[in-house]
């Protein structure tokens, strides 16, 4: 009986030791398997929030917590990024970005492309730009960058030709070819839809067109497409952090088909998902 008691005690002791080893092993695996959550602050304006809410959900599954920081202007998001108050921003075209960082001497760089908010030519009188009559008046936005974009759109539509030294800024003196002798009426961008009854056509920014009740891809008689490289929107980071793995993961998540479909659905096809290599936009 004594021998049996000793044997049972020995078995119990061995079981306790093995259980302890198993527990330690399990704890080590748990510690190794759990990665620290990465927090990334993304600066944007209100119009981009529905897209980034989707990205935020997807990133959470990759153990990335995205904090959305909204700005009401187009200056602070880049300054905040340069100052380290946010980690990324996503609100601007590459054309605006290039000009801004040059003017303010900021060391920022794009890490991925996102979409185009296409500018279009609209008309209540014509269904095709080719049918616009000689001597007609075209309304164009008067702000320098908007006008430059409008002139490039008119050139792409085959209505005008621009000088070789055209730099993208609004300047009617750069119109070298005007076979239909069109007249151009510069007006404030926000007013471009209102003058439609009075002109042959009006060139309207995407956001202004949507606010006026248009669906750009359906209602414009000519519209920018994903070849309008200077007007592709980007995700930007500080230049010394462009290769950060967590940032590249966020770009990959953005550029998946489910996000493209989400953009089309939420914005009623008013925005065009545009995922192209950075080399295509000059980076």
């Amino acid at each position: 009986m004594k021998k049996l008691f000793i044997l049972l005690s020995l078995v119990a002791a061995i079981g306790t030791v093995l259980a302890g080893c198993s527990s330690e092993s399990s704890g080590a695996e748990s510690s190794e398997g759990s990665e620290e959550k990465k927090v990334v602050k993304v600066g944007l304006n209100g119009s981009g929030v529905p897209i980034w809410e989707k990205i935020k959900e997807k990133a959470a599954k990759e153990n990335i917590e995205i904090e959305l920081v909204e700005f009401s202007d187009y200056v602070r998001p880049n300054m905040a990024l340069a100052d380290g108050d946010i980690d990324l921003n996503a609100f601007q075209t590459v054309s605006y970005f290039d000009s801004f960082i040059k003017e303010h001497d900021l060391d920022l760089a794009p890490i991925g492309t996102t979409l185009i908010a296409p500018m279009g030519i609209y008309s209540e009188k014509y269904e095709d730009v080719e049918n616009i009559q000689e001597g007609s008046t075209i309304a164009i936005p008067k702000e320098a960058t908007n006008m430059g974009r409008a002139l490039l759109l008119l050139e792409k539509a085959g209505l005008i030709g621009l000088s070789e030294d055209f730099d993208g800024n609004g300047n009617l003196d750069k119109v070298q070819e005007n076979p239909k002798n069109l007249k151009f009426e510069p007006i404030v961008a926000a007013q471009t839809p209102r003058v439609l009854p009075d002109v042959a056509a009006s060139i309207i920014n995407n956001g202004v067109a949507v606010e006026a009740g248009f669906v750009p891809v359906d209602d414009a008689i000519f519209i920018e497409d994903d070849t309008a490289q200077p007007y592709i929107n980007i995700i930007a980071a500080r230049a010394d952090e462009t290769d950060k793995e967590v940032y590249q993961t966020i770009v990959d998540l953005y550029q998946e088909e489910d996000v493209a479909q989400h953009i089309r659905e939420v914005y009623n096809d008013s925005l065009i998902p545009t995922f192209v290599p950075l080399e295509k936009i000059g980076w």
Side-chain angles (χ1 to χ4, degrees):
M1 188 68 180
K2 186 175 180 182
K3 291 181 179 179
L4 178 61
F5 177 77
I6 294 172
L7 180 61
L8 290 174
S9 298
L10 183 60
V11 170
I14 294 172
T16 301
V17 172
L18 290 175
C21 292
S22 175
S23 175
E24 289 176 8
S25 174
S26 175
E29 289 176 4
S30 175
S31 175
E32 290 174 3
S34 62
E35 297 180 7
E36 185 179 351
K37 182 178 289 186
K38 302 176 181 69
V39 179
V40 179
K41 294 183 179 180
V42 180
L44 39 131
N45 56 29
S47 63
V49 170
I51 301 172
W52 281 91
E53 289 290 356
K54 172 90 172 167
I55 307 299
K56 186 175 179 177
E57 290 177 9
K58 295 179 61 171
K61 298 175 183 176
E62 303 293 331
N63 212 24
I64 301 169
E65 179 182 343
I66 293 180
E67 293 184 8
L68 303 181
V69 182
E70 292 186 55
F71 295 89
S72 58
D73 63 76
Y74 286 84
V75 174
R76 288 187 299 154
N78 280 328
M79 303 308 294
L81 179 59
D83 291 341
D85 297 329
I86 57 176
D87 303 303
L88 303 172
N89 68 38
F91 74 101
Q92 62 195 322
T93 65
V94 68
S95 176
Y96 176 84
F97 174 80
D98 287 344
S99 175
F100 191 96
I101 64 172
K102 182 178 180 180
E103 179 182 352
H104 295 272
D105 192 26
L106 302 180
D107 197 18
L108 308 178
I111 60 171
T113 59
T114 57
L115 52 83
I116 283 180
M119 177 180 274
I121 303 175
Y122 297 77
S123 177
E124 292 184 356
K125 301 177 175 66
Y126 303 102
E127 295 182 358
D128 193 316
V129 290
E130 293 183 359
N131 297 330
I132 293 176
Q133 297 298 301
E134 184 168 349
S136 294
T137 297
I138 309 290
I140 60 175
K142 68 186 295 183
E143 302 81 7
T145 53
N146 282 329
M147 184 187 291
R149 187 173 180 178
L151 292 176
L152 287 169
L153 184 61
L154 287 168
E155 182 177 55
K156 184 161 182 129
L159 293 174
I160 64 171
L162 298 168
S163 61
E164 291 185 3
D165 63 344
F166 181 69
D167 62 2
N169 288 311
N171 188 343
L172 290 173
D173 292 339
K174 298 297 183 179
V175 178
Q176 277 197 338
E177 300 172 20
N178 186 4
K180 291 190 175 185
N181 295 310
L182 300 173
K183 302 180 183 70
F184 302 104
E185 183 179 343
I187 60 175
V188 176
Q191 303 298 321
T192 47
R194 298 184 183 180
V195 300
L196 275 169
D198 306 316
V199 296
S202 183
I203 301 180
I204 307 177
N205 289 72
N206 183 277
V208 176
V210 172
E211 288 177 6
F214 292 113
V215 177
V217 293
D218 293 334
D219 298 325
I221 63 172
F222 193 85
I223 194 167
E224 288 174 337
D225 57 22
D226 59 10
T227 64
Q229 296 173 13
Y231 308 112
I232 295 175
N233 281 252
I234 59 167
I235 302 171
R238 287 177 288 281
D240 62 347
E241 295 185 339
T242 56
D243 293 330
K244 250 184 142 172
E245 184 177 355
V246 63
Y247 296 169
Q248 291 300 324
T249 298
I250 290 173
V251 171
D252 291 342
L253 292 173
Y254 194 114
Q255 294 183 344
E256 291 176 344
E257 179 55 33
D258 63 329
V259 175
Q261 186 59 32
H262 179 71
I263 293 170
R264 297 185 194 105
E265 290 175 357
V266 171
Y267 296 91
N268 198 22
D269 284 329
S270 296
L271 302 180
I272 304 172
T274 308
F275 310 146
V276 299
L278 292 175
E279 293 79 7
K280 192 170 182 179
I281 59 171
W283 282 85

